[in-house]
């Protein structure tokens, strides 16, 4: 979301989000996503930035981020949802990070981070370094 929100709306760490995106462009960072991510972001962009939502959604779609849609991911997400008292849609992200080798979930949501950090494979955007 921070890639598309105006700096005032993106709040803090938008520079870190841009660094992450640059790492993707440079090939230093490889992204993976759960199958619902584009729909979730499209819904938020439609609400928060309706004048640029269509363009932003098309840009995200054009990135062709590989999705991981396996029973193992859904099972892990379900276990995490129960353990963390979260919705499965939210726990699909850390489930991916925990199941994929050399994968880390980067989040700007400090409250969610506090709940999930004990699992490992998660970092706050404010602590992210792309090098």
């Amino acid at each position: 979301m921070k890639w598309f929100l105006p700096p005032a709306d993106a709040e803090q760490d938008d520079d870190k989000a841009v660094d992450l995106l640059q790492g993707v462009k440079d090939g230093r960072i490889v992204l993976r996503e759960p199958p619902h991510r584009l729909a979730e972001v499209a819904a938020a962009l439609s609400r928060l930035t309706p004048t640029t939502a269509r363009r932003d959604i098309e840009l995200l779609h054009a990135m062709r981020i590989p999705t991981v849609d396996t029973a193992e991911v859904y099972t892990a997400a379900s276990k995490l949802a129960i353990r963390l008292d979260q919705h499965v849609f939210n726990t699909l992200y850390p489930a991916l990070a925990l199941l994929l080798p050399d994968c880390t979930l980067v989040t700007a949501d400090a409250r969610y981070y506090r709940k999930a950090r004990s699992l490992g494979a998660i970092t706050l955007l404010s602590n992210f370094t792309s090098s």
Side-chain angles (χ1 to χ4, degrees), residues 8-120:
D9 293 337
E11 300 170 3
Q12 59 190 17
D13 300 322
D14 55 322
D15 57 328
K16 296 279 191 170
V18 171
D19 288 346
L20 191 149
L21 182 59
Q22 190 59 51
V24 172
K25 288 180 180 179
D26 295 346
R28 293 177 285 118
I29 296 172
V30 177
L31 300 177
R32 296 289 182 267
E33 66 184 12
H36 73 292
R37 197 267 323 175
L38 186 57
E40 182 177 36
V41 173
L45 290 172
S46 297
R47 185 174 37 86
L48 297 172
T49 57
T51 58
T52 60
R54 180 179 176 175
R55 181 205 66 201
D56 297 342
I57 294 163
E58 289 172 352
L59 287 170
L60 280 173
H61 187 267
M63 289 177 74
R64 303 264 185 240
I65 300 168
T67 60
V68 180
D69 185 17
T70 64
E72 184 181 26
V73 170
Y74 287 103
T75 301
S78 175
K79 289 177 185 176
L80 290 173
I82 294 164
R83 179 176 170 185
L84 300 173
D85 191 28
Q86 293 285 311
H87 197 286
V88 168
F89 287 118
N90 293 335
T91 59
L92 279 163
Y93 297 95
L96 283 179
L98 291 167
L99 292 173
L100 297 176
D102 300 323
C103 187
T104 301
L105 169 62
V106 178
T107 182
D109 185 340
R111 190 172 70 187
Y112 183 76
Y113 171 77
R114 285 190 299 276
K115 277 191 163 190
R117 71 179 167 205
S118 66
L119 304 171

